[in-house]
Amino acid sequence: MNITLFDTIFYLLAFLTLGSAAIMVFSKNVIYSAVGLLFTFFGVAGIYVLLAADFVAVVQVLVYVGGILILLLFGVMLSNKITNIEITTETLHFLPASLVVIGIFVVLYRVFITTDWNPVGSYNFDPTTHEIGTLLMTDYLIPFEIASILLLGALIGAAYIARKD
Amino acid sequence: MILPILNSEITFLQFLPFDLPEPLISIIFLLIGASIIAVVASVLALVGVYLERKISAHMQDRLGPMEVGPHGIAQTFADAIKLLIKEDIVPQDADKLLHFIAPVMVFAATLAAFAVLPFSKTLVVSDLNIGLLYIIAISSFVVIGAILAGWASNNKWSLLGGMRSAAQIVSFEIPASLAVLSVIMIVGSMNLGDIVEYQKGGFFNWIIFKYFPFNFIAFIIYFIASLAEVNRAPFDLPEAESELIAGFHTEYSGMKWAMFFLAEYANMFLVGVVASTLFLGGWSSPFGDFLNSGPFPVFWIFIKSFSLIFVQIWIRWTLPRVRVDQLMYVSWKVLTPFAFVAILGVGIWMVL
Amino acid sequence: MLSNFGSILFFLIFGAVFVCVNILLSRLLQTRNPYPVKLSVYECGELPEGNSWIQFNIRFYVIALIFLIFEVEIVFLFPWAVVFKDLGMFAFVEMLIFVGILLVGLAYVWAKGDLEWDKPEQVPSPELYRTDNVNSAVKITESVAS
């Protein structure tokens, strides 16, 4: 078997992603879950790089680590109402949760086996930002503008809900 | 020079089988390059600490450190050795694992940001095409590190300092990113090398003087926001010693504390280099082709960034600390609108 | 491009190892003499009162939320800025619409006061502290007493 450095890095990143995701799910401490999530995001960003999506990889770190994770941590600090009990998670509603998970798995697996995968032998690692910018300004103009309305709605909604305490 | 070789023809992480020697060679080159950058970053941080103490002393009509070496020049090295042999105290109730991870995360992210900085045409480790966005992205690890350090210490001041630090950095990330956008609009690239190439040929080509005064405004906004992002006075609320003791590193001592300190001063240098690369021509000479070869690019980038560091220190010892509400006011209601104005101004000027 | 990201990954790992080696080195060199008081959390010299993992002000959360929205907006603006020189007027107008819609959001949170941090209580006006007017000083004492 001929394992290249590329493959090694891929498996290491996949291991990092799945391992930290497992820590995130099974940890009893919410902060440990958040750290696990951090490494999951980082691993996913690494896999994006291996898929030649440089812009998406950096945005993954910027938005998920720099935005959503901080929001989650602030949320944890905020919601901890009882001061003398450590921040912990508990497993509730085991049965419905597993039903939902199995359902999602079946759907994803069906998509996975029915999709006509079109494997690319080797892809060129060109910078993608310029292309993304051009496509956003031409072919995907309407989604681009709709995204701003979506963001506006999210901003106003979030501010409104947060204000009501 | 090792780094030019590093940059030119290294094929690290290609589809190469393991038994070929190239990956190993490139790893060795990278190891050397990373060590050089790490040592340079540490030495720069030590120089920064010395400058801070000396400049602040002279501003207050004092002498500052004078005992170790001529004019106390070896003082910070003596301090580094002292920190190395100091006892590392971890509080009983602290979360020991996260208490350890936080400084590692902060320092590693700071060092990783140095990888894309161009010190000359060839003296750049990773000539990333989205280098600017990458620097903004990697600094989010520093925010997470601060929150984790604050939380893991199980100290009220630490946690409050970490939270304040995070809220402050994210608030100022918006005007900083917007200020940077006008540079990208003009150059049409996020590669730091391309941005410097665009400004070559003398100081009148620097982006700060382009489309006056909009880019000048953008530069001022970036500078103010970067002060806040590296927790410098007048925005050093996370470490406001009169109310929060030392902020998120109250419970840190010895080498772990030294790592936070090192990262802080390395960050100061980092924003200095980024600001001079974006607005002040980076490593290119201010006099066209005059003195723009050999070791001079490195000289110019150091001169420019140390001038900015001097201004940072000057501001710290001149202005009083702002309040939290004033901080948020500056970020959201002053800098962000002005950054939009700068972008619009540059945009209108460019399309007309 | 891949090699560039490779070196960055390498730098991250190197930085982490660098810190670990430094901490380990200092572990070997230092003298350790822990005792309970030294290991207690610093709280201005008093005994620590309760746990520090407390509930935080909602302001932090709101700021993070607003930040996240603007962050996503800026992520959209970066590829736009890169192609702006090539596309010119057309791209500029598109961006104006995009940013204009979001500026409505900024104006909304601004007008509704979500960007305000809790201000400290209003202190008495400095006029009351003037020492050249004995009567006002008396007035202050009276007002404080009442």
Side-chain angles (χ1 to χ4, degrees):
Chain A
M1 215 171 103
N2 190 13
I3 296 180
T4 63
L5 186 56
F6 185 88
D7 293 343
T8 319
I9 301 270
F10 171 77
Y11 284 116
L12 282 177
L13 282 173
F15 178 76
L16 175 75
T17 311
L18 292 177
S20 52
I23 290 175
M24 186 227 142
V25 172
F26 293 116
S27 170
K28 287 278 180 218
N29 186 326
V30 181
I31 303 288
Y32 276 64
S33 296
V35 177
L37 196 59
L38 168 76
F39 285 101
T40 312
F41 288 149
F42 181 74
V44 172
I47 288 171
Y48 278 136
V49 171
L50 295 185
L51 289 170
D54 53 351
F55 183 75
V56 179
V58 174
V59 166
Q60 163 86 13
V61 173
L62 184 64
V63 171
Y64 280 86
V65 177
I68 290 182
L69 197 59
I70 291 174
L71 191 69
L72 281 176
L73 283 170
F74 279 11
V76 169
M77 306 288 174
L78 182 75
S79 57
N80 180 29
K81 288 197 172 166
I82 308 154
T83 49
N84 281 326
I85 294 178
E86 280 192 31
I87 307 169
T88 52
T89 51
E90 269 179 84
T91 312
L92 299 169
H93 309 297
F94 182 75
L95 194 68
S98 34
L99 281 178
V100 170
V101 168
I102 290 168
I104 292 175
F105 178 77
V106 167
V107 171
L108 285 180
Y109 189 71
R110 207 185 129 69
V111 171
F112 177 68
I113 52 169
T114 51
T115 308
D116 185 20
W117 296 103
N118 189 13
V120 185
S122 66
Y123 31 134
N124 51 340
F125 290 90
D126 291 335
T128 55
T129 318
H130 197 275
E131 231 168 297
I132 289 174
T134 316
L135 283 175
L136 269 184
M137 286 297 129
T138 52
D139 290 7
Y140 297 96
L141 177 60
I142 300 297
F144 174 71
E145 299 293 356
I146 288 175
S148 78
I149 295 175
L150 188 69
L151 285 172
L152 176 69
L155 178 60
I156 291 177
Y160 183 74
I161 293 170
R163 201 178 320 126
K164 285 179 87 178
D165 286 339
Chain B
M1 286 260 132
I2 298 298
L3 289 172
I5 309 169
L6 225 181
N7 183 40
S8 56
E9 274 314 309
I10 269 200
T11 48
F12 180 61
L13 252 183
Q14 297 274 7
F15 302 91
L16 288 166
F18 236 160
D19 46 337
L20 280 180
E22 272 97 314
L24 280 178
I25 290 174
S26 52
I27 285 173
I28 290 165
F29 275 134
L30 271 173
L31 193 63
I32 296 167
S35 329
I36 291 175
I37 295 275
V39 169
V40 166
S42 317
V43 171
L44 284 174
L46 292 180
V47 172
V49 175
Y50 176 73
L51 283 180
E52 172 108 53
R53 296 174 73 175
K54 269 298 185 192
I55 293 171
S56 66
H58 286 299
M59 279 178 182
Q60 297 168 342
D61 213 2
R62 294 185 285 118
L63 287 174
M66 286 297 279
E67 295 297 323
V68 191
H71 281 267
I73 212 158
Q75 181 65 52
T76 42
F77 292 94
D79 289 343
I81 294 166
K82 182 202 78 175
L83 284 169
L84 190 66
I85 55 176
K86 266 193 95 168
E87 184 177 356
D88 178 21
I89 306 162
V90 183
Q92 192 84 60
D93 301 332
D95 190 315
K96 306 227 167 28
L97 180 64
L98 292 183
H99 193 267
F100 175 77
I101 286 179
V104 176
M105 198 182 276
V106 169
F107 186 83
T110 306
L111 186 70
F114 271 80
V116 295
L117 296 181
F119 292 100
S120 85
K121 197 177 173 62
T122 46
L123 208 60
V124 44
V125 177
S126 173
D127 191 22
L128 200 63
N129 64 299
I130 44 173
L132 195 47
L133 193 60
Y134 160 78
I135 288 181
I136 299 173
I138 201 78
S139 63
S140 42
F141 280 96
V142 178
V143 187
I144 303 280
I147 302 182
L148 285 184
W151 188 83
S153 301
N154 196 0
N155 179 324
K156 296 179 186 76
W157 314 118
S158 297
L159 186 56
L160 196 54
M163 295 287 279
R164 267 197 195 179
S165 177
Q168 171 178 331
I169 295 176
V170 299
S171 292
F172 279 85
E173 208 170 298
I174 300 297
S177 318
L178 287 172
V180 156
L181 267 175
S182 66
V183 176
I184 302 173
M185 280 160 70
I186 294 168
V187 181
S189 167
M190 284 192 266
N191 184 319
L192 292 171
D194 290 351
I195 292 171
V196 178
E197 286 290 334
Y198 181 86
Q199 304 177 66
K200 267 171 93 171
F203 62 86
F204 42 85
N205 267 355
W206 291 356
I207 286 182
I208 187 171
F209 299 123
K210 283 265 159 76
Y211 305 114
F212 193 82
F214 296 112
N215 277 313
F216 191 75
I217 296 174
F219 171 72
I220 298 291
I221 290 169
Y222 182 81
F223 188 76
I224 295 174
S226 67
L227 280 182
E229 288 202 39
V230 295
N231 294 339
R232 295 281 304 178
F235 305 111
D236 58 345
L237 289 117
E239 295 156 25
E241 68 278 354
S242 49
E243 35 187 303
L244 290 181
I245 304 164
F248 60 85
H249 49 65
T250 301
E251 292 297 345
Y252 280 87
S253 59
M255 213 55 209
K256 285 183 194 162
W257 179 81
M259 286 298 138
F260 275 123
F261 200 60
L262 208 59
E264 198 181 311
Y265 276 84
N267 251 324
M268 242 171 98
F269 183 72
L270 178 80
V271 294
V273 173
V274 172
S276 40
T277 302
L278 294 181
F279 295 98
L280 304 176
W283 46 260
S284 69
S285 159
F287 313 111
D289 285 336
F290 179 64
L291 294 182
N292 203 16
S293 55
F296 278 105
V298 181
F299 169 76
W300 290 123
I301 186 83
F302 272 51
I303 285 285
K304 286 168 185 172
S305 28
F306 270 109
S307 315
L308 289 177
I309 288 176
F310 173 74
V311 179
Q312 288 181 352
I313 294 171
W314 182 9
I315 288 176
R316 169 167 176 183
W317 296 97
T318 307
L319 297 178
R321 183 180 296 135
V322 300
R323 283 199 315 260
V324 183
D325 62 310
Q326 291 166 335
L327 180 98
M328 293 297 159
Y329 176 83
V330 169
S331 161
W332 290 99
K333 299 189 176 175
V334 180
L335 295 185
T336 307
F338 272 102
F340 274 116
V341 168
I343 292 177
L344 286 184
V346 172
I348 290 172
W349 200 319
M350 279 177 77
V351 293
L352 288 184
Chain C
M1 186 201 97
L2 210 47
S3 64
N4 290 329
F5 277 104
S7 7
I8 284 165
L9 177 66
F10 188 87
F11 262 64
L12 274 174
I13 296 169
F14 182 89
V17 172
F18 181 79
V19 178
C20 295
V21 167
N22 272 336
I23 292 174
L24 203 72
L25 196 68
S26 108
R27 258 294 152 81
L28 295 176
L29 291 173
Q30 69 191 226
T31 46
R32 292 175 78 77
N33 178 24
Y35 48 91
V37 177
K38 190 192 269 181
L39 292 183
S40 72
V41 162
Y42 181 72
E43 212 164 292
C44 308
E46 304 282 327
L47 285 176
E49 190 71 36
N51 198 302
S52 72
W53 293 327
I54 48 171
Q55 188 185 1
F56 257 88
N57 194 329
I58 191 153
R59 286 277 153 231
F60 285 103
Y61 191 71
V62 176
I63 290 290
L65 262 176
I66 299 173
F67 158 74
L68 185 60
I69 307 281
F70 277 90
E71 179 96 323
V72 174
E73 175 202 349
I74 286 169
V75 162
F76 275 108
L77 288 182
F78 269 100
W80 164 79
V82 170
V83 297
F84 175 63
K85 245 191 355 189
D86 304 337
L87 297 181
M89 192 54 143
F90 184 56
F92 185 67
V93 172
E94 283 169 11
M95 191 280 286
L96 271 188
I97 300 168
F98 183 82
V99 170
I101 292 170
L102 275 155
L103 282 181
V104 172
L106 181 66
Y108 174 81
V109 287
W110 187 330
K112 287 285 181 182
D114 288 312
L115 299 174
E116 308 277 341
W117 203 267
D118 302 328
K119 276 191 188 154
E121 289 291 315
Q122 199 68 43
V123 290
S125 70
E127 208 178 303
L128 289 176
Y129 289 118
R130 274 166 54 182
T131 46
D132 55 357
N133 189 339
V134 182
N135 287 337
S136 75
V138 172
K139 250 185 241 163
I140 300 170
T141 355
E142 280 170 356
S143 68
V144 168
S146 62

